[in-house]
Amino acid sequence: MTRAVEAELPLWPPVNPTRGPFTPLDEAERDRYVGPVRRVRLPTGAPAWLVTRHADVRQLLRHPAFSSDFRRPGFPLLRPLPPQAAEGGKGSFIQMDGGEHSRLRRMLTAEFMIKNVRRIEPLIQRTVDEALDVLAAAGPPADLVSSFALPLPSMVICHLLGVPYADHDFFQTRSRTLLDREMPPARVQRDFEELRDYIRALVDAKRARPEGTDDLLSRMVRERVEPGELDVDELVGMALLLLIAGHETTANMIGLSVLRLTRDPGQYAILRDEPDRAAELVEELLRYLSIVRTGLLRVATEDVTIGGRLIRAGEGAVVLISLANRDADVFDEPDRFDPYRQAHQQVAFGFGVHQCIGQPLARAELRIALVALARRFPGLRVTAAPEELSTRDSSVVFGLDALPVTW
């Protein structure tokens, strides 16, 4: 029996250009997006379930009957796949389920544990300080995205993986293509193949010289590939995932965080005057900004009831974590940014077995970067009006194209 579609709407709340990227939903939009699980139609024309309430989101994301494998029938694709996409996902464990997902994820878990991230915090601090030195030497005005927000996480992930930072233009432009929902499939396929071939050549070079370096890819070659636990294509897919996620998400969070905080000089000053509060402030920024605005995509492998609605096997679901993080049943006055809020229930990194493996690193980079920026440039201010800022509305990861600042 065909299920009726209850709403026709884009699957990401629109950005109001006259009010900037932090616009809360107006009353009409809230009625359309927020509420019980409902049937909607995707941009591809296919139906899916829309999940926006915090409790429903957590229930679905931790349920083992919801698959992340985009090759399964009924998976809620937001755009047509390139011709060879199904062949290119090897090693990309965020698109895998069960034992296959666990095997690959476990190989990286130790690398991103909080205790290991703490060991590299001096490296992050040095990288931040050096980037701020360059910014200060160049003098105002500046574009904070290109001069700080993007280079910082790119340098850190390059150092950890063993990827030459000199190649950052190559992998950054291709990463953005892969994340752009409006990019033609042929262009996505081409850039994906170029990026995959680049990583493959890098891994091959490390296999030829496995000793003497201690970056993540070299260790994985020595400890996993050579003993036969991991094949080269799997390592290439894992490295590709880490490289893209490791700089795009944090870069966009830094830019948007600075924009939000500098709108209220008192909030920005908290970073300088109360640096011990920075970790709590980062949690509220993660909740409030929720940059993965197109949602997390799943398909049911068996009949499951979520939020009182039966989702049948083979039906897709779109989980809007950005709206779960604005759920009034969990967060008081959720559309208000509160730097003193206890926001630990936020789900910006997802929830369940697919929760972002790199979240300790992302939190450390955000905390260190924002505190150092506020200390070095306490008078930093944005020089563009909200309607003048160009936002990345078509990207899976929301952000700013540029952030003009002075000090």
Side-chain angles (χ1 to χ4, degrees), residues 134-214:
V134 172
L135 188 63
D143 168 24
L144 199 71
V145 170
S146 62
S147 62
F148 182 66
L150 186 56
L152 168 61
S154 297
M155 285 188 276
V156 171
I157 198 65
C158 283
H159 178 88
L160 294 180
L161 290 178
V163 174
Y165 180 69
D167 297 335
H168 67 278
D169 281 340
F170 173 86
F171 62 75
Q172 283 170 5
T173 55
R174 285 152 184 81
S175 296
R176 293 200 164 186
T177 295
L178 301 186
L179 293 171
D180 191 335
R181 301 187 315 269
E182 297 181 355
M183 201 62 69
R187 171 71 182 278
V188 173
Q189 185 67 29
R190 188 198 74 188
D191 282 22
F192 171 80
E193 290 175 354
E194 290 181 356
L195 200 49
R196 180 195 58 197
D197 292 346
Y198 169 81
I199 297 291
R200 177 64 186 250
L202 193 62
V203 169
D204 286 344
K206 292 179 184 297
R207 292 183 71 198
R209 300 185 302 276
E211 303 301 329
T213 53
D214 195 39

Side-chain angles (χ1 to χ4, degrees), residues 210-230:
E211 303 301 329
T213 53
D214 195 39
D215 58 77
L216 175 57
L217 290 185
S218 296
R219 288 198 301 276
M220 292 291 281
V221 165
R222 290 194 302 267
E223 299 171 10
R224 303 292 186 178
V225 174
E226 298 305 328
E229 296 179 29
L230 189 69

Side-chain angles (χ1 to χ4, degrees), residues 35-357:
V37 176
R38 73 192 74 178
R39 275 300 247 185
V40 297
R41 193 174 303 283
L42 301 174
T44 58
W49 293 95
L50 182 66
V51 185
T52 64
R53 294 189 301 196
H54 191 273
D56 297 339
V57 164
R58 285 166 58 109
Q59 182 190 2
L60 189 149
L61 292 178
R62 69 172 173 249
H63 201 293
F66 285 94
S67 171
S68 296
D69 187 350
F70 65 88
R71 297 164 297 187
R72 286 181 178 270
F75 191 88
L77 297 171
L78 299 184
R79 63 181 177 186
L81 283 177
Q84 301 172 3
E87 302 171 14
K90 196 169 187 181
S92 183
F93 52 87
I94 63 170
Q95 297 168 335
M96 299 175 180
D97 304 317
E100 186 182 27
H101 165 261
S102 299
R103 179 179 71 88
L104 297 179
R105 185 179 172 108
R106 275 198 302 267
M107 293 183 186
L108 295 171
T109 300
E111 298 287 342
F112 294 99
M113 291 175 65
I114 293 175
K115 65 178 183 180
N116 286 336
V117 169
R118 283 179 180 149
R119 291 193 188 108
I120 65 169
E121 284 191 5
L123 162 71
I124 299 172
Q125 186 70 61
R126 284 196 304 274
T127 306
V128 168
D129 291 342
E130 289 167 5
L132 292 177
D133 288 343
V134 172
L135 188 63
D143 168 24
L144 199 71
V145 170
S146 62
S147 62
F148 182 66
L150 186 56
L152 168 61
S154 297
M155 285 188 276
V156 171
I157 198 65
C158 283
H159 178 88
L160 294 180
L161 290 178
V163 174
Y165 180 69
D167 297 335
H168 67 278
D169 281 340
F170 173 86
F171 62 75
Q172 283 170 5
T173 55
R174 285 152 184 81
S175 296
R176 293 200 164 186
T177 295
L178 301 186
L179 293 171
D180 191 335
R181 301 187 315 269
E182 297 181 355
M183 201 62 69
R187 171 71 182 278
V188 173
Q189 185 67 29
R190 188 198 74 188
D191 282 22
F192 171 80
E193 290 175 354
E194 290 181 356
L195 200 49
R196 180 195 58 197
D197 292 346
Y198 169 81
I199 297 291
R200 177 64 186 250
L202 193 62
V203 169
D204 286 344
K206 292 179 184 297
R207 292 183 71 198
R209 300 185 302 276
E211 303 301 329
T213 53
D214 195 39
D215 58 77
L216 175 57
L217 290 185
S218 296
R219 288 198 301 276
M220 292 291 281
V221 165
R222 290 194 302 267
E223 299 171 10
R224 303 292 186 178
V225 174
E226 298 305 328
E229 296 179 29
L230 189 69
D231 69 39
V232 172
D233 287 340
E234 288 175 325
L235 179 55
V236 170
M238 295 165 77
L240 201 56
L241 172 62
L242 294 175
L243 183 63
I244 294 172
H247 74 272
E248 278 291 337
T249 50
T250 307
N252 286 308
M253 273 298 302
I254 291 173
L256 287 168
S257 295
V258 172
L259 176 60
R260 172 58 262 185
L261 292 169
T262 54
R263 291 177 68 173
D264 184 332
Q267 293 178 356
Y268 183 60
I270 292 172
L271 294 165
R272 182 192 69 232
D273 300 335
E274 303 176 66
D276 290 344
R277 286 210 42 81
E280 298 285 345
L281 184 54
V282 163
E283 293 303 307
E284 172 67 349
L285 287 165
L286 289 164
R287 180 200 73 84
Y288 186 79
L289 298 173
S290 296
I291 59 174
V292 182
R293 296 196 177 179
T294 55
L296 304 179
L297 310 177
R298 300 291 189 267
V299 62
T301 59
E302 60 185 65
D303 293 357
V304 183
T305 298
I306 300 292
R309 300 300 298 268
L310 175 64
I311 300 178
R312 293 179 179 146
E315 294 181 339
V318 178
V319 179
L320 288 186
I321 55 177
S322 59
L323 295 186
N325 278 338
R326 298 284 185 104
D327 190 333
D329 289 339
V330 180
F331 306 102
D332 292 336
E333 298 182 78
D335 289 332
R336 180 174 64 90
F337 178 76
D338 180 0
Y340 292 100
R341 187 193 303 273
Q342 298 293 311
H344 294 285
Q345 293 189 72
Q346 57 84 14
V347 289
F349 290 112
F351 193 70
V353 296
H354 282 287
Q355 193 170 162
C356 175
I357 195 172

